[in-house]
């Protein structure tokens, strides 16, 4: 018996599909990639069932191809995200995201007494743990972990 | 170290610590020199810290330098809402080096990135106070003859005390055995214990302040502050538990010395002051020599 599979989010002709995003991180990913300001068609679905993630989200962005350093930023909130590059409805390339060594200007420092939360300073962190993401603030030297992570906008 | 800011003890290598301590020993022999003649040093204290400021100003004065600055933020343009960036860029025009104390963490690092002259961090909130750590190292080496293989007891507030955290990081280069004595609420944070585990260094935790200190080479006392306790009853129970009294020193090692970053409240009984093992006031004097060494190194004048 053939199990027919219906797509929860319809296919795109050209562009990028970002899959395996934890459902809770969907809006963070949209913010990090600044998709709000993008004019092309974006469709997304969330709270979809996933064997690995429990509930996952998927984003399909038409006519947009990301640079590696741009897309790797989402690894902070979606370390298992997978990218499919689509040309003429076909997957022509698959990519995984990689957590960068340094994180600049994306994350807010968890320490309320950190200078970056008082003056206009671009935040900077060193990634000290990639599996269980932990960031060390370049300024106050405090650790911001995944649960505490707030994305700056 | 020339022209390099001193922001965090973690930025420096063991060799660099030793270099500063050696130079500090030279200043101890000959503290009055004119090597800062013609130099203007800014001391910017965005929050008051009389002890640290006087120590720096004594160091600068003894070297013939001149001082500009302020002793708390209310008397400066900061109270008008000026950003740290603007204050530092401006004062850098007027001085050869800036010593700064600021209540926000990371402020000194930020200042060093926008300043055209070197910055010495004289305390940024609960984060770093590297000149304190260097004077602690100087005091330990001077009293023990070495920094290697010592048994260091840290007593009191080990959770929030930036002094003990920096001292732990610095002493981890010297095969130190650590003993932590504190109430449960103020125990050494896990990140530091993991750090020691990774280096294979030994540490022991104790809740009771007993004759366990007979093993110590150095007993480093800190203040247990009331505001650190969520439960005031817990504070009342604790505050008299971690007090060092003269009678407790009977079985301690002859070379043992008691250090304290000061100010003291009641955690060391006054009757300890006359004991030859009390070293905290000399430790404060060592701060002047150590700061002279740091100033001279950064300005390239040694």
């Amino acid at each position: 018996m053939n199990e027919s599979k219906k797509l929860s989010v319809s296919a795109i002709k050209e562009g990028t599909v970002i899959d395996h995003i934890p459902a809770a991180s969907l809006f963070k990913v949209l913010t990090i990639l600044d998709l709000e300001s993008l004019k092309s068609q974006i469709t997304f679905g969330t709270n979809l069932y996933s064997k690995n993630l429990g509930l996952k989200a998927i984003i399909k962005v038409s006519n947009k191809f990301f640079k590696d350093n741009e897309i790797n930023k989402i690894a902070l909130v979606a370390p298992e995200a997978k990218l499919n590059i689509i040309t003429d409805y076909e997957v022509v390339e698959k990519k995984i995201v990689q957590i960068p060594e340094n994180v600049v200007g994306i994350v807010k420092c968890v320490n309320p007494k950190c200078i970056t939360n008082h003056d206009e300073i671009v935040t900077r962190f060193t990634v000290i743990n990639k599996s269980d993401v932990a960031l060390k603030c370049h300024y106050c030297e405090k650790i911001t972990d995944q649960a505490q992570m707030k994305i700056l906008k | 170290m020339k022209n390099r800011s001193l922001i965090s003890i973690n930025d420096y290598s063991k060799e660099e610590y030793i270099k500063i301590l050696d130079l500090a020993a030279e200043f101890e022999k000959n503290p009055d020199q004119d090597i800062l003649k013609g130099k203007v040093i800014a001391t910017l204290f965005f929050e008051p810290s009389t002890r640290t400021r006087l120590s720096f100003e004594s160091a600068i004065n003894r070297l013939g330098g001149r001082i500009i600055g302020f002793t708390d933020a209310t008397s400066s343009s900061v109270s008008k809402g000026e950003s740290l960036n603007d204050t530092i860029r401006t004062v850098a025009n007027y001085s050869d080096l800036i010593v700064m104390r600021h209540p926000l963490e990371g402020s000194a690092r930020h200042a060093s990135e926008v300043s055209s002259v070197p910055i010495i961090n004289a305390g940024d909130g609960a984060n770093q106070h590297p000149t304190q750590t260097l004077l602690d190292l100087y005091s330990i080496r001077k009293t023990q003859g070495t920094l290697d293989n010592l048994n260091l007891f840290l007593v009191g507030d080990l959770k929030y005390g930036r002094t003990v955290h920096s001292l732990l990081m610095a002493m981890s280069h010297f095969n130190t055995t650590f003993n932590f004595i504190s109430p449960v609420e103020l125990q050494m944070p896990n990140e530091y214990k993991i750090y020691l585990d990774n280096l294979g260094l030994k540490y022991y935790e104790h809740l009771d302040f007993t004759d366990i200190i007979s093993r110590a080479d150095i007993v480093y006392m800190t203040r247990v502050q009331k505001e650190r306790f969520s439960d005031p009853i817990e504070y009342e129970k604790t505050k008299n538990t971690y007090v060092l009294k003269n009678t407790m020193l009977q079985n301690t090692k002859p070379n043992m010395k008691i250090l304290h970053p000061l100010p003291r409240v009641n955690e060391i009984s006054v009757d300890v002051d006359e004991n030859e093992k009390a070293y905290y006031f000399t430790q404060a004097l060592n701060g002047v020599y150590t700061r002279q060494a740091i100033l001279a190194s950064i300005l390239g004048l040694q």
Side-chain angles (χ1 to χ4, degrees), chain A residues 109 111-122 124 128 136-143, chain B residues 7-8 10-11 82-85 102-107 109-110 113 124-128 191:
Chain A
C109 180
N111 177 10
K113 284 192 74 192
C114 179
I115 185 79
T116 60
N117 288 317
H118 294 263
D119 280 14
E120 265 183 58
I121 299 168
V122 177
R124 285 174 62 187
I128 55 165
K136 185 176 184 183
C137 178
H138 166 73
Y139 291 98
C140 74
E141 306 183 21
K142 295 282 179 299
I143 311 292
Chain B
I7 305 301
S8 167
N10 307 329
D11 297 345
E82 188 180 54
S83 70
L84 179 60
N85 173 63
H102 198 287
L104 292 175
E105 291 148 26
S107 52
R109 177 78 65 196
H110 173 56
E113 289 170 348
D124 60 327
N127 183 31
Q128 288 280 333
E191 56 179 292

Short mmCIF file of all heavy atoms in Angstrom, two decimals, chain A residues 109 111-122 124 128 136-143, chain B residues 7-8 10-11 82-85 102-107 109-110 113 124-128 191:
data_model
loop_
_atom_site.label_atom_id
_atom_site.label_comp_id
_atom_site.label_asym_id
_atom_site.label_seq_id
_atom_site.Cartn_x
_atom_site.Cartn_y
_atom_site.Cartn_z
N CYS A 109 23.02 40.07 25.54
CA CYS A 109 23.70 39.49 26.70
C CYS A 109 22.70 39.34 27.84
O CYS A 109 21.91 40.24 28.12
CB CYS A 109 24.87 40.37 27.14
SG CYS A 109 25.73 39.69 28.57
N ASN A 111 23.20 39.26 30.95
CA ASN A 111 23.56 39.99 32.18
C ASN A 111 23.00 41.42 32.17
O ASN A 111 23.44 42.24 31.38
CB ASN A 111 25.09 40.01 32.29
CG ASN A 111 25.59 40.80 33.48
OD1 ASN A 111 24.81 41.18 34.34
ND2 ASN A 111 26.89 41.04 33.51
N PRO A 112 22.04 41.71 33.05
CA PRO A 112 21.45 43.06 33.04
C PRO A 112 22.47 44.15 33.37
O PRO A 112 22.28 45.31 33.01
CB PRO A 112 20.35 43.00 34.11
CG PRO A 112 20.65 41.81 34.94
CD PRO A 112 21.43 40.85 34.07
N LYS A 113 23.57 43.77 34.03
CA LYS A 113 24.59 44.77 34.37
C LYS A 113 25.69 44.88 33.30
O LYS A 113 26.68 45.57 33.50
CB LYS A 113 25.22 44.44 35.73
CG LYS A 113 24.30 44.80 36.89
CD LYS A 113 25.03 44.74 38.22
CE LYS A 113 25.96 45.93 38.38
NZ LYS A 113 26.89 45.76 39.53
N CYS A 114 25.50 44.19 32.18
CA CYS A 114 26.50 44.28 31.11
C CYS A 114 26.38 45.63 30.41
O CYS A 114 25.29 46.09 30.12
CB CYS A 114 26.31 43.15 30.11
SG CYS A 114 27.49 43.22 28.75
N ILE A 115 27.52 46.22 30.10
CA ILE A 115 27.56 47.54 29.44
C ILE A 115 26.76 47.53 28.12
O ILE A 115 26.16 48.54 27.76
CB ILE A 115 29.04 47.98 29.20
CG1 ILE A 115 29.13 49.40 28.62
CG2 ILE A 115 29.79 47.01 28.32
CD1 ILE A 115 28.96 50.51 29.60
N THR A 116 26.71 46.38 27.45
CA THR A 116 26.00 46.32 26.16
C THR A 116 24.49 46.50 26.31
O THR A 116 23.80 46.78 25.34
CB THR A 116 26.25 44.98 25.42
OG1 THR A 116 25.77 43.91 26.24
CG2 THR A 116 27.71 44.78 25.11
N ASN A 117 24.00 46.31 27.53
CA ASN A 117 22.57 46.52 27.77
C ASN A 117 22.27 47.95 28.24
O ASN A 117 21.14 48.26 28.61
CB ASN A 117 22.04 45.51 28.80
CG ASN A 117 21.95 44.12 28.20
OD1 ASN A 117 21.50 43.97 27.07
ND2 ASN A 117 22.40 43.11 28.93
N HIS A 118 23.30 48.79 28.24
CA HIS A 118 23.10 50.18 28.71
C HIS A 118 23.52 51.21 27.67
O HIS A 118 22.83 52.18 27.44
CB HIS A 118 23.88 50.40 30.01
CG HIS A 118 23.33 49.59 31.14
ND1 HIS A 118 22.45 50.10 32.05
CD2 HIS A 118 23.49 48.29 31.46
CE1 HIS A 118 22.10 49.14 32.91
NE2 HIS A 118 22.72 48.04 32.57
N ASP A 119 24.68 50.99 27.03
CA ASP A 119 25.13 51.90 25.98
C ASP A 119 24.89 51.24 24.63
O ASP A 119 24.66 50.04 24.55
CB ASP A 119 26.62 52.24 26.17
CG ASP A 119 26.82 53.31 27.25
OD1 ASP A 119 25.85 53.57 28.00
OD2 ASP A 119 27.93 53.86 27.34
N GLU A 120 24.98 52.03 23.58
CA GLU A 120 24.80 51.47 22.24
C GLU A 120 26.08 50.80 21.78
O GLU A 120 26.98 51.44 21.25
CB GLU A 120 24.44 52.59 21.26
CG GLU A 120 22.95 52.75 21.07
CD GLU A 120 22.62 53.80 20.04
OE1 GLU A 120 23.08 53.65 18.89
OE2 GLU A 120 21.94 54.77 20.41
N ILE A 121 26.16 49.51 22.04
CA ILE A 121 27.36 48.74 21.70
C ILE A 121 26.91 47.46 21.01
O ILE A 121 25.95 46.82 21.45
CB ILE A 121 28.15 48.38 22.99
CG1 ILE A 121 28.59 49.66 23.70
CG2 ILE A 121 29.35 47.51 22.67
CD1 ILE A 121 29.12 49.44 25.09
N VAL A 122 27.58 47.11 19.92
CA VAL A 122 27.28 45.86 19.22
C VAL A 122 27.74 44.70 20.11
O VAL A 122 28.89 44.67 20.54
CB VAL A 122 28.01 45.81 17.86
CG1 VAL A 122 27.76 44.49 17.16
CG2 VAL A 122 27.56 46.98 16.99
N ARG A 124 29.09 41.11 21.30
CA ARG A 124 30.06 40.16 20.73
C ARG A 124 30.23 39.00 21.71
O ARG A 124 30.42 39.22 22.90
CB ARG A 124 31.42 40.85 20.55
CG ARG A 124 31.46 41.80 19.38
CD ARG A 124 32.75 42.55 19.33
NE ARG A 124 33.89 41.67 19.14
CZ ARG A 124 35.15 42.09 19.20
NH1 ARG A 124 35.43 43.34 19.46
NH2 ARG A 124 36.13 41.24 19.00
N ILE A 128 31.52 29.08 23.33
CA ILE A 128 32.38 28.21 24.13
C ILE A 128 31.86 26.78 24.16
O ILE A 128 32.56 25.88 24.59
CB ILE A 128 32.59 28.75 25.57
CG1 ILE A 128 31.25 28.98 26.27
CG2 ILE A 128 33.42 30.02 25.57
CD1 ILE A 128 31.41 29.15 27.77
N LYS A 136 30.02 33.23 25.48
CA LYS A 136 30.67 34.05 26.50
C LYS A 136 30.79 35.47 26.00
O LYS A 136 31.34 35.72 24.92
CB LYS A 136 32.06 33.48 26.81
CG LYS A 136 32.74 34.21 27.95
CD LYS A 136 34.05 33.56 28.31
CE LYS A 136 34.65 34.27 29.52
NZ LYS A 136 35.95 33.74 29.88
N CYS A 137 30.26 36.40 26.79
CA CYS A 137 30.25 37.81 26.38
C CYS A 137 31.68 38.35 26.34
O CYS A 137 32.44 38.18 27.29
CB CYS A 137 29.38 38.63 27.33
SG CYS A 137 29.37 40.38 26.95
N HIS A 138 32.01 38.99 25.24
CA HIS A 138 33.33 39.61 25.08
C HIS A 138 33.53 40.73 26.09
O HIS A 138 34.65 41.03 26.50
CB HIS A 138 33.41 40.15 23.65
CG HIS A 138 34.53 41.08 23.37
ND1 HIS A 138 35.83 40.67 23.27
CD2 HIS A 138 34.55 42.44 23.18
CE1 HIS A 138 36.60 41.73 23.03
NE2 HIS A 138 35.85 42.81 22.96
N TYR A 139 32.44 41.34 26.53
CA TYR A 139 32.54 42.49 27.44
C TYR A 139 32.49 42.06 28.91
O TYR A 139 33.47 42.20 29.64
CB TYR A 139 31.46 43.53 27.10
CG TYR A 139 31.73 44.18 25.78
CD1 TYR A 139 31.10 43.74 24.61
CD2 TYR A 139 32.69 45.18 25.66
CE1 TYR A 139 31.39 44.31 23.38
CE2 TYR A 139 32.99 45.76 24.44
CZ TYR A 139 32.34 45.32 23.31
OH TYR A 139 32.65 45.87 22.09
N CYS A 140 31.36 41.50 29.35
CA CYS A 140 31.23 41.24 30.79
C CYS A 140 31.70 39.84 31.18
O CYS A 140 31.75 39.51 32.36
CB CYS A 140 29.78 41.46 31.23
SG CYS A 140 28.66 40.15 30.72
N GLU A 141 32.03 38.99 30.18
CA GLU A 141 32.57 37.64 30.41
C GLU A 141 31.55 36.67 31.00
O GLU A 141 31.91 35.58 31.45
CB GLU A 141 33.86 37.69 31.26
CG GLU A 141 34.92 38.62 30.67
CD GLU A 141 36.24 38.65 31.42
OE1 GLU A 141 36.54 37.71 32.15
OE2 GLU A 141 36.99 39.64 31.24
N LYS A 142 30.27 37.06 31.04
CA LYS A 142 29.23 36.15 31.54
C LYS A 142 28.75 35.24 30.40
O LYS A 142 28.86 35.58 29.23
CB LYS A 142 28.05 36.94 32.09
CG LYS A 142 28.36 37.78 33.31
CD LYS A 142 28.45 36.94 34.58
CE LYS A 142 28.79 37.78 35.79
NZ LYS A 142 30.11 38.47 35.68
N ILE A 143 28.18 34.09 30.80
CA ILE A 143 27.73 33.10 29.83
C ILE A 143 26.24 33.27 29.56
O ILE A 143 25.44 33.37 30.49
CB ILE A 143 27.97 31.66 30.36
CG1 ILE A 143 29.39 31.49 30.90
CG2 ILE A 143 27.63 30.62 29.29
CD1 ILE A 143 30.49 31.54 29.89
N ILE B 7 42.69 44.86 31.35
CA ILE B 7 41.24 44.79 31.52
C ILE B 7 40.83 43.60 32.36
O ILE B 7 40.03 43.71 33.27
CB ILE B 7 40.53 44.70 30.14
CG1 ILE B 7 40.96 45.87 29.23
CG2 ILE B 7 39.01 44.65 30.30
CD1 ILE B 7 40.67 47.24 29.79
N SER B 8 41.38 42.42 32.03
CA SER B 8 40.95 41.19 32.68
C SER B 8 42.18 40.35 33.00
O SER B 8 43.12 40.29 32.18
CB SER B 8 40.03 40.41 31.73
OG SER B 8 39.82 39.10 32.20
N ASN B 10 42.43 37.37 32.89
CA ASN B 10 42.49 36.24 31.95
C ASN B 10 43.20 36.59 30.63
O ASN B 10 43.44 35.72 29.82
CB ASN B 10 41.08 35.73 31.66
CG ASN B 10 40.33 35.42 32.95
OD1 ASN B 10 40.92 35.03 33.94
ND2 ASN B 10 39.01 35.61 32.95
N ASP B 11 43.48 37.87 30.42
CA ASP B 11 44.17 38.28 29.19
C ASP B 11 45.68 38.09 29.31
O ASP B 11 46.40 38.24 28.33
CB ASP B 11 43.95 39.77 28.90
CG ASP B 11 42.49 40.11 28.65
OD1 ASP B 11 41.71 39.17 28.41
OD2 ASP B 11 42.15 41.30 28.70
N GLU B 82 25.83 61.51 29.38
CA GLU B 82 26.86 61.23 28.38
C GLU B 82 27.18 59.74 28.36
O GLU B 82 27.24 59.09 29.41
CB GLU B 82 28.14 62.02 28.68
CG GLU B 82 29.17 61.90 27.57
CD GLU B 82 30.45 62.69 27.84
OE1 GLU B 82 31.07 62.48 28.91
OE2 GLU B 82 30.82 63.51 27.00
N SER B 83 27.39 59.18 27.16
CA SER B 83 27.73 57.76 27.08
C SER B 83 29.19 57.56 27.50
O SER B 83 30.00 58.49 27.46
CB SER B 83 27.54 57.26 25.66
OG SER B 83 28.53 57.80 24.81
N LEU B 84 29.50 56.33 27.89
CA LEU B 84 30.86 56.00 28.29
C LEU B 84 31.82 56.25 27.12
O LEU B 84 32.92 56.78 27.30
CB LEU B 84 30.92 54.53 28.73
CG LEU B 84 32.28 54.01 29.16
CD1 LEU B 84 32.83 54.78 30.34
CD2 LEU B 84 32.20 52.52 29.50
N ASN B 85 31.38 55.88 25.93
CA ASN B 85 32.15 56.10 24.71
C ASN B 85 32.63 57.56 24.62
O ASN B 85 33.81 57.84 24.41
CB ASN B 85 31.26 55.74 23.52
CG ASN B 85 31.89 56.08 22.18
OD1 ASN B 85 32.91 55.54 21.82
ND2 ASN B 85 31.26 57.01 21.47
N HIS B 102 34.01 51.40 37.21
CA HIS B 102 32.67 51.61 36.66
C HIS B 102 31.74 50.52 37.18
O HIS B 102 32.15 49.38 37.29
CB HIS B 102 32.75 51.57 35.12
CG HIS B 102 31.58 52.18 34.42
ND1 HIS B 102 30.34 51.57 34.37
CD2 HIS B 102 31.44 53.36 33.75
CE1 HIS B 102 29.51 52.34 33.70
NE2 HIS B 102 30.14 53.44 33.32
N PRO B 103 30.47 50.87 37.49
CA PRO B 103 29.58 49.84 38.04
C PRO B 103 29.11 48.80 37.02
O PRO B 103 28.67 47.72 37.40
CB PRO B 103 28.38 50.65 38.57
CG PRO B 103 28.43 51.94 37.84
CD PRO B 103 29.88 52.21 37.53
N LEU B 104 29.21 49.10 35.72
CA LEU B 104 28.71 48.15 34.72
C LEU B 104 29.81 47.20 34.26
O LEU B 104 30.96 47.59 34.07
CB LEU B 104 28.13 48.89 33.51
CG LEU B 104 26.84 49.66 33.79
CD1 LEU B 104 26.42 50.45 32.55
CD2 LEU B 104 25.71 48.73 34.23
N GLU B 105 29.42 45.93 34.05
CA GLU B 105 30.38 44.90 33.68
C GLU B 105 30.69 44.97 32.18
O GLU B 105 29.78 45.09 31.37
CB GLU B 105 29.82 43.54 34.11
CG GLU B 105 29.81 43.45 35.63
CD GLU B 105 28.71 42.61 36.23
OE1 GLU B 105 28.21 41.70 35.57
OE2 GLU B 105 28.34 42.90 37.39
N GLY B 106 31.96 44.90 31.85
CA GLY B 106 32.37 45.03 30.45
C GLY B 106 32.68 46.46 30.07
O GLY B 106 33.11 46.72 28.94
N SER B 107 32.45 47.39 30.99
CA SER B 107 32.68 48.81 30.67
C SER B 107 34.14 49.09 30.33
O SER B 107 34.44 49.84 29.41
CB SER B 107 32.23 49.69 31.84
OG SER B 107 32.84 49.23 33.03
N ARG B 109 36.39 46.99 29.12
CA ARG B 109 36.71 46.40 27.80
C ARG B 109 36.24 47.35 26.70
O ARG B 109 36.96 47.63 25.75
CB ARG B 109 36.02 45.03 27.67
CG ARG B 109 36.21 44.35 26.33
CD ARG B 109 37.56 43.69 26.16
NE ARG B 109 37.74 42.59 27.08
CZ ARG B 109 38.92 42.03 27.37
NH1 ARG B 109 40.02 42.48 26.81
NH2 ARG B 109 39.00 41.05 28.23
N HIS B 110 35.02 47.82 26.85
CA HIS B 110 34.47 48.75 25.85
C HIS B 110 35.34 50.01 25.78
O HIS B 110 35.69 50.47 24.69
CB HIS B 110 33.02 49.09 26.22
CG HIS B 110 32.42 50.16 25.38
ND1 HIS B 110 32.35 50.08 24.00
CD2 HIS B 110 31.87 51.36 25.70
CE1 HIS B 110 31.79 51.17 23.52
NE2 HIS B 110 31.49 51.97 24.53
N GLU B 113 38.42 49.75 23.80
CA GLU B 113 38.23 49.66 22.35
C GLU B 113 38.01 51.03 21.70
O GLU B 113 38.17 51.17 20.49
CB GLU B 113 37.04 48.74 22.04
CG GLU B 113 37.38 47.29 22.33
CD GLU B 113 36.18 46.35 22.29
OE1 GLU B 113 35.03 46.84 22.25
OE2 GLU B 113 36.38 45.13 22.30
N ASP B 124 35.19 46.62 37.19
CA ASP B 124 33.98 46.84 36.39
C ASP B 124 32.87 45.96 36.96
O ASP B 124 32.74 44.80 36.63
CB ASP B 124 34.21 46.61 34.89
CG ASP B 124 34.67 45.20 34.52
OD1 ASP B 124 35.40 44.58 35.34
OD2 ASP B 124 34.30 44.70 33.44
N GLY B 125 32.06 46.54 37.82
CA GLY B 125 30.97 45.80 38.47
C GLY B 125 31.50 44.57 39.17
O GLY B 125 32.54 44.63 39.83
N ALA B 126 30.80 43.46 39.00
CA ALA B 126 31.23 42.21 39.63
C ALA B 126 32.17 41.42 38.73
O ALA B 126 32.49 40.27 39.01
CB ALA B 126 30.01 41.36 39.98
N ASN B 127 32.63 42.03 37.65
CA ASN B 127 33.40 41.26 36.67
C ASN B 127 34.88 41.13 37.02
O ASN B 127 35.30 40.09 37.50
CB ASN B 127 33.21 41.87 35.28
CG ASN B 127 33.91 41.09 34.19
OD1 ASN B 127 34.05 39.87 34.29
ND2 ASN B 127 34.38 41.76 33.17
N GLN B 128 35.68 42.16 36.80
CA GLN B 128 37.13 42.02 36.94
C GLN B 128 37.73 43.17 37.75
O GLN B 128 37.19 44.28 37.74
CB GLN B 128 37.78 42.02 35.54
CG GLN B 128 37.54 40.74 34.75
CD GLN B 128 38.47 39.62 35.17
OE1 GLN B 128 39.58 39.84 35.65
NE2 GLN B 128 38.03 38.39 34.99
N GLU B 191 31.03 26.69 37.31
CA GLU B 191 31.93 26.92 36.17
C GLU B 191 33.39 26.94 36.60
O GLU B 191 34.26 26.50 35.86
CB GLU B 191 31.56 28.21 35.43
CG GLU B 191 31.54 29.44 36.33
CD GLU B 191 31.19 30.72 35.56
OE1 GLU B 191 32.00 31.15 34.73
OE2 GLU B 191 30.11 31.27 35.84
#
